[in-house]
Structures are given as C-alpha cells and as structure tokens.
Amino acid sequence: MTYQVRHLRAYDRDAFAGRAAPRILEPTPVCWMCSRTSGRSTKEHVFARTLLEEFPSEQKQFSPARFNSALYTPDPLGMTHLRGPMPGSALVAGGICATCNNLWMSNLEVATKPLLVSPPERTLSAVEARTLAHWFVKTAIVINVSNPHRLLWPAERRHAVAGRRMPNVAIWLFRVPESDLNWIQARPGGLSLLTNPLESVDTETASFLGGVIHSCAIQVGTLVGDVVAYPGEISASEFEHDGTLLWKNGRIGEVNLSDLAVGKDLWDHGAHIKLRTSSFWSGGVPAGYWSK
C-alpha cells in the first residue's frame, strides 16, 4: 500500500524515519470518532471542564511526559520528552467533528460525571457500569490520538464507540490511596503476555502482538480504570487482572465500588494475558496494523 506520509499524524510519520514499532497508519481524518468526510472540526478535552471543577487547582496542572527504555536515553527514568506544566483545560484532541463533540460525547460526559465522583460505597447498576466503561474507552482513544504515541485504534473500532459498541476491549477498576487526575499509556509492567505452548505462538509473534495492544490506565480521583484494547486475533486469550472487571466484550454487571482492590498508585496493577490465538489466525501482521 502507498501512504501519503504527509497526511499521517506527526508522530506516525516518525515510522518512516526509522522507528519500527507496529502501529496503525492512516491519514489524519476529519473526525477520529466517526466516518464523516466533512464538517466543522472541534477539540475534545481529555477531562471535561465540568469534571475539572471537582478537583483542587494543584490536581489540574499536568506535565505530560514520554518515556522510553532507559537503555536508549541518558535519563535514568527513560524520560525523553516533557511538556508543561499546563492546565487541564489545555489537554485536548483536535480532529473531533462538532457533531460527535456536541452530541454523544457531550451527553456521555454529563452521564458519567456522577459515576466518577461517586462515594466509594456506591454500587453501580449494569447500565451505569456500561456508561462508565464507555467513558473510559472514549477517553483512552482521545488520549491515544492526541498524544505523542503510536496510533493503536483502527478506524472501525474508534467509530464503533459512538454507537456504544466496544469490541475487543477489557476494562478493570481499582482504587489508589491518593486522589489525582492522571493517565499512563503503555506503562512499564502494565501488560504481560504469556504464550501457550500448545498454540505454538512464536516469540516474535508474541512480541509483535504485545506492541499492538493499547494499555491505558486513567485515574479520576482515587478511581482507576485500566483499559486494554487488543486485536481480534487474540480474542480467545485469557485475561487476568488484580482489579475488578468492568467490561469485556459486553460481559458486564453490577459493580460494587466499595469492593475494589487498592493499589499503591496508578502504576501498580496491570493485565496478564495468556496468549491464545483465534482459530483463523495465520500469523503475520493483524489486519489494519503496519510494521517494518
């Protein structure tokens, strides 16, 4: 396939300068969240202004950072890029059409805010739990398309979210002691793959699949939603996590917020995937993904 490199996100253009990590390659669309080819472009906030109002000023200042392996940078933590501090109101994703922003995304923010700031003893109904899952998925996508990170959400899966469909996504909830607004995507230790020898998944394939899974932990107050989006080729795999399962391909029920596991911080818990490829898997690169 021939790519118009100049039409890709700036970070994804880096792939042609020697970065070989797998990613989605697609031209920057009119809207990341729908298939419209025309319309007025707006900006979607990572955290809505009405949600930011619930937090003290010191928790609304952000310094987004990018981390790589400490083997490839002189910084002992692996930090290669740091911005800010900046107000939470400045954390936005461009390329969201006015129809998406002002209708379903706005309605979702209104419906979700009471759930995000709920007292810990509250029990969420199945309907409320689905709404909360919808918000975490929407926010993980907004973070992925707006931050300097590889694009890992194919268009058809991004567009499905507008209709409250969330295929090949798992979300777990846990608590942390200290309140904050924050997120980490692709965090070290946030994901591990265990190959099943009976499935004969080679190390190279397992490594590639690990690279196309989007892991994003999002903290609101003391509540953390750990979002893991994965290609359909590994949908038969077993997923394990210390947190409480909120959503996985439509499996959802009541969630008791007072019964969540408590971690040390946002980095603490992560998903473990016992890799089992689906019956139609034939190796190679999953549809929609690109790798050198």
Side-chain angles (χ1 to χ4, degrees), residues 46-179:
V46 173
F47 297 118
R49 293 179 185 272
T50 53
L51 182 61
L52 290 172
E53 292 171 356
E54 300 292 324
F55 291 86
S57 57
E58 64 271 17
Q59 293 182 6
K60 294 186 287 189
Q61 293 293 316
F62 293 82
S63 297
R66 187 193 308 167
F67 294 85
N68 288 328
S69 171
L71 295 174
Y72 305 107
T73 173
D75 187 276
L77 295 177
M79 185 183 297
T80 61
H81 185 72
L82 178 67
R83 294 180 295 154
M86 62 181 67
S89 58
L91 297 172
V92 296
I96 306 294
C97 74
T99 302
C100 282
N101 200 347
N102 297 331
L103 291 179
W104 74 267
M105 296 176 88
S106 177
N107 292 337
L108 179 60
E109 295 290 353
V110 172
T112 308
K113 179 183 174 182
L115 310 179
L116 292 170
V117 298
S118 292
E121 62 273 13
R122 177 170 178 171
T123 296
L124 303 181
S125 68
V127 172
E128 291 173 326
R130 186 185 181 101
T131 297
L132 186 60
H134 194 196
W135 183 87
F136 275 116
V137 170
K138 183 272 297 181
T139 303
I141 294 174
V142 169
I143 288 170
N144 186 227
V145 302
S146 64
N147 279 253
H149 188 75
R150 293 170 294 118
L151 180 61
L152 293 176
W153 289 79
E156 65 273 13
R157 289 173 60 199
R158 299 195 311 268
H159 300 169
V161 177
R164 291 172 61 87
R165 291 180 290 111
M166 298 171 278
N168 300 336
V169 180
I171 308 167
W172 294 268
L173 297 178
F174 63 93
R175 291 275 183 194
V176 292
E178 300 293 330
S179 175

Side-chain angles (χ1 to χ4, degrees), residues 254-265:
E254 290 187 352
V255 176
N256 186 343
L257 296 180
S258 65
D259 198 31
L260 302 181
V262 178
K264 298 188 298 291
D265 52 36

Side-chain angles (χ1 to χ4, degrees), residues 1 28 106 119 137 148 187 238:
M1 181 180 293
T28 301
S106 177
V137 170
R187 65 198 190 282
E238 296 178 37

Side-chain angles (χ1 to χ4, degrees), residues 20-35:
R23 67 194 69 205
I24 302 295
L25 286 185
E26 65 174 79
T28 301
V30 170
C31 180
W32 289 109
M33 306 304 294
C34 74
S35 58

Side-chain angles (χ1 to χ4, degrees), residues 213-275:
I213 295 172
H214 186 229
S215 171
C216 185
I218 304 166
Q219 178 179 350
V220 181
T222 61
L223 182 67
V224 178
D226 198 2
V227 182
V228 175
Y230 51 91
E233 283 81 355
I234 63 168
S235 59
S237 301
E238 296 178 37
F239 292 70
E240 297 179 349
H241 198 286
D242 294 333
T244 297
L245 183 65
L246 176 67
W247 171 271
K248 187 177 185 293
N249 283 354
R251 290 180 236 167
I252 202 163
E254 290 187 352
V255 176
N256 186 343
L257 296 180
S258 65
D259 198 31
L260 302 181
V262 178
K264 298 188 298 291
D265 52 36
L266 184 63
W267 303 71
D268 196 25
H269 292 298
H272 307 281
I273 302 177
K274 294 182 179 179
L275 193 62

